[in-house]
């Protein structure tokens, strides 16, 4: 029996025809055999599939920056000198990676992350994280998982399971070191990962209010006035 390699599998997808009922039934049969964990919006292959491509001849670090240090400083209400170059590089990598490229998407993403981080001041949750200890719904099954995997990044990634999903996607096992590593290396990218998993770009494309975006980010309207203030700063910085 010949082994079907990943490259060979692409042939099935390339020549798939929706009008061919045999093709449709074959794909349905295949889907029933796939691990249920892979049939989820947060599965790494789904996220990779939905990630917009970088133009030929570029990689994400060489793609044209979408946001400058001066723009970010204007949004965060701080001096540009307080923002490190690597922070701007990581931000722009995140924006390209997760398709946060239009004005509405940029304005809402940057205003929400500005509020959640206190204008870039906080890259991790201030609480100890012990409140998450033993939370099986977050994948916190080992002693110390609560503090180790407390909220990290500008939209706080929380829990062993979510850290593992992010580590798989970003292809960096060191993410599992915990909160400090993610806060130092991926404050924006971890937020972008959440943003994509929750279809925030699609919401932004529908011309939502800040309140509507906040409801999905926060589950309520906590800090709405502050979020609206940051949104107006984003409108001025990204005209």
């Amino acid at each position: 029996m010949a082994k079907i390699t990943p490259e060979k599998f692409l042939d099935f997808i390339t020549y798939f025809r929706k009008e061919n009922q045999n093709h449709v039934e074959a794909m349905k049969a295949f889907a029933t055999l796939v691990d249920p964990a892979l049939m989820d919006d947060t599965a790494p292959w789904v996220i990779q599939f939905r990630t917009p491509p970088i133009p030929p001849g570029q990689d994400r670090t060489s793609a044209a920056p979408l946001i400058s240090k001066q723009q970010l400083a204007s949004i965060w209400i701080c001096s540009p000198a307080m923002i490190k170059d690597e922070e701007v590089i990581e931000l722009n990598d995140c924006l390209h990676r997760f398709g946060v490229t239009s004005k509405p998407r940029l304005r809402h993403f940057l205003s929400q992350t500005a509020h959640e981080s206190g204008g870039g001041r906080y890259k991790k949750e201030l609480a100890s994280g012990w409140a998450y200890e033993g939370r099986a719904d977050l994948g916190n099954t080992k002693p110390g998982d609560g503090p180790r995997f407390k909220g990290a990044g500008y939209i706080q990634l929380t829990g062993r399971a979510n850290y593992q999903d992010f580590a798989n996607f970003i292809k960096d096992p060191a993410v599992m070191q915990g909160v400090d590593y993610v806060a130092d290396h991926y404050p924006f990218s971890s937020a972008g990962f959440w943003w994509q998993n929750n279809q925030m770009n699609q919401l932004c494309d529908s011309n939502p209010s800040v309140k509507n975006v906040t409801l999905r980010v926060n589950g309520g309207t906590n800090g709405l006035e502050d979020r609206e203030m940051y949104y107006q700063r984003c409108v001025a910085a990204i005209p």
Side-chain angles (χ1 to χ4, degrees):
M1 182 182 296
K3 184 81 170 177
I4 296 177
T5 64
E7 290 74 22
K8 191 67 176 175
F9 181 70
L10 289 177
D11 288 344
F12 289 89
I13 306 302
T14 300
Y15 297 108
F16 173 79
R17 293 291 181 269
K18 195 171 184 180
E19 64 274 10
N20 185 321
Q21 193 59 32
N22 284 344
H23 287 193
V24 173
E25 294 304 319
M27 289 298 103
K28 286 182 178 179
F30 176 77
T32 65
L33 301 173
V34 176
D35 183 341
L38 297 176
M39 303 294 279
D40 186 280
D41 277 342
T42 63
W45 76 270
V46 176
I47 296 171
Q48 184 65 48
F49 187 87
R50 291 174 173 170
T51 299
I54 291 298
Q58 292 185 338
D59 58 28
R60 287 192 169 86
T61 57
S62 66
L66 294 164
I67 297 295
S68 69
K69 181 184 289 190
Q70 288 70 27
Q71 286 173 300
L72 186 58
S74 173
I75 294 165
W76 280 358
I77 320 176
C78 70
S79 165
M82 297 180 68
I83 301 174
K84 297 177 181 178
D85 290 342
E86 53 264 36
E87 291 179 296
V88 181
I89 292 171
E90 198 259 337
L91 165 60
N92 281 285
D93 177 72
C94 164
L95 298 176
H96 283 293
R97 183 187 299 274
F98 296 105
V100 185
T101 52
S102 67
K103 287 181 182 180
R105 295 178 183 187
L106 288 165
R107 290 167 175 171
H108 282 296
F109 178 77
L110 289 169
S111 60
Q112 291 291 329
T113 54
H115 168 79
E116 295 288 336
S117 65
R121 292 174 179 83
Y122 310 112
K123 296 182 179 181
K124 59 185 178 181
E125 187 174 355
L126 296 177
S128 68
W130 284 109
Y132 305 122
E133 187 72 358
R135 284 276 301 275
D137 59 315
L138 294 173
N140 290 344
T141 58
K142 299 181 180 181
D145 276 357
R148 181 178 180 181
F149 299 114
K150 72 177 186 176
Y154 292 142
I155 295 180
Q156 296 178 355
L157 185 74
T158 306
R160 175 182 284 275
N162 291 319
Y163 273 67
Q164 187 64 68
D165 285 343
F166 180 59
N168 293 343
F169 172 78
I170 210 75
K171 295 181 174 61
D172 183 0
V175 163
M176 300 310 290
Q177 291 178 20
V179 58
D180 290 335
Y181 184 87
V182 173
D184 289 341
H185 292 84
Y186 301 114
F188 278 112
S189 295
S190 59
F193 182 69
W194 181 92
W195 193 262
Q196 179 164 280
N197 284 351
N198 288 273
Q199 292 83 52
M200 296 302 296
N201 283 339
Q202 292 90 325
L203 176 60
C204 293
D205 292 346
S206 69
N207 192 32
S209 65
V210 174
K211 181 178 180 179
N212 286 339
V213 175
T214 299
L215 284 169
R216 189 172 294 184
V217 172
N218 176 254
T221 56
N222 183 52
L224 181 58
E225 184 176 344
D226 192 58
R227 295 173 201 266
E228 289 177 333
M229 179 274 291
Y230 278 120
Y231 182 78
Q232 291 306 316
R233 296 196 70 85
C234 287
V235 170
I238 310 167

